[in-house]
């Protein structure tokens, strides 16, 4: 068995060649990656559903736009809260994933975290891969793997995140940001 180097906390950026509509121009933050598989959330799929309509107690803490994001095609009836808390250990009810990015226990009282919480995003569903599945997709060239930044979690214009993440790369990936939505029209 090959050793798996953890990609937890990194971003998967869909290549233009990825044809799965669930991941067209998706930017996925990996929350967990090990030999047992991978779990992440799509950062750039806002829905029209307001947070206050599904998790009213958390609505005041949700960053703009204050909507639920579709985190991926798996378990759309489950919610994940992701927030940025710089520095220290973080409050009870928050678990660090990578750097200042962590998961919020949505069962905890919001007031427990309110004072320390940076920006909060709520995601319905997640993206998941079984053992070796993500590695196969990486070998096939379906994803670019890049470093995440805390601001990626709460990008004010999530529809532009794919291009923004690629544009900030200091390699030929920056050119991919100019790839047209429909290359057949070129």
């Amino acid at each position: 068995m090959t050793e798996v180097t953890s990609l937890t906390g990194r971003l998967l950026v869909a290549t233009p060649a990825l044809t799965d509509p669930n991941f067209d121009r998706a930017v996925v933050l990996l929350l967990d990656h090990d030999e047992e598989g991978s779990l992440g959330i799509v950062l750039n799929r806002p829905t029209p559903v307001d947070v206050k309509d599904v998790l009213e107690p958390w609505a005041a803490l949700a960053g703009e736009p204050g909507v639920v994001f579709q985190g991926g095609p798996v378990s759309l009836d489950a919610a994940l809260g992701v927030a940025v808390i710089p520095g220290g250990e973080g409050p009870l009810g928050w678990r660090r994933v990578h750097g200042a990015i962590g998961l919020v226990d949505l069962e905890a009282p919001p007031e427990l975290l309110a004072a320390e919480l940076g920006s909060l995003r709520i995601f319905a569903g997640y993206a998941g891969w079984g053992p070796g599945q993500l590695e196969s997709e990486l070998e096939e060239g379906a994803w670019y793997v890049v470093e995440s930044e805390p601001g990626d979690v709460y990008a004010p214009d999530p529809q532009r995140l794919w291009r923004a993440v690629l544009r900030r790369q200091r390699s030929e990936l920056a050119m991919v940001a100019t790839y047209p939505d429909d290359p057949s029209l070129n």
Side-chain angles (χ1 to χ4, degrees), residues 14-39:
T15 67
L18 186 59
T19 58
D20 182 339
N22 290 307
F23 298 108
D24 180 43
R25 296 198 179 211
V27 177
V28 177
L29 172 65
L30 284 174
L31 300 174
D32 194 23
H33 176 252
D34 58 27
E35 64 280 344
E36 295 178 20
S38 304
L39 181 137

Side-chain angles (χ1 to χ4, degrees), residues 145-168:
V145 179
V146 301
E147 294 298 323
S148 64
E149 294 180 2
D152 297 332
V153 171
Y154 55 88
D157 191 357
Q159 289 88 346
R160 295 178 188 240
L161 186 61
W162 185 83
R163 288 188 195 279
V165 168
L166 289 171
R167 196 173 297 120
R168 75 177 183 230

Side-chain angles (χ1 to χ4, degrees), residues 96-168:
R96 187 174 311 281
V97 171
H98 176 76
I101 302 167
L103 286 167
V104 173
D105 178 0
L106 295 173
E107 298 293 321
E111 51 277 359
L112 191 64
L113 293 106
E116 293 186 58
L117 209 58
S119 188
L120 170 70
R121 285 262 161 99
I122 304 293
F123 297 87
Y126 62 90
W129 294 265
Q133 186 180 5
L134 178 57
E135 288 74 16
S136 294
E137 289 182 16
L138 292 172
E139 287 174 15
E140 293 167 5
W143 300 100
Y144 303 119
V145 179
V146 301
E147 294 298 323
S148 64
E149 294 180 2
D152 297 332
V153 171
Y154 55 88
D157 191 357
Q159 289 88 346
R160 295 178 188 240
L161 186 61
W162 185 83
R163 288 188 195 279
V165 168
L166 289 171
R167 196 173 297 120
R168 75 177 183 230

Side-chain angles (χ1 to χ4, degrees), residues 24-88:
D24 180 43
R25 296 198 179 211
V27 177
V28 177
L29 172 65
L30 284 174
L31 300 174
D32 194 23
H33 176 252
D34 58 27
E35 64 280 344
E36 295 178 20
S38 304
L39 181 137
I41 50 169
V42 178
L43 296 176
N44 57 334
R45 295 278 193 274
T47 72
V49 178
D50 286 333
V51 172
K52 68 178 183 219
D53 294 339
V54 290
L55 286 170
E56 196 278 324
W58 291 97
L61 298 174
E64 289 299 320
V67 298
V68 175
F69 283 67
Q70 183 173 342
V74 182
S75 294
L76 290 172
D77 58 344
L80 290 169
V82 177
V84 173
I85 297 182

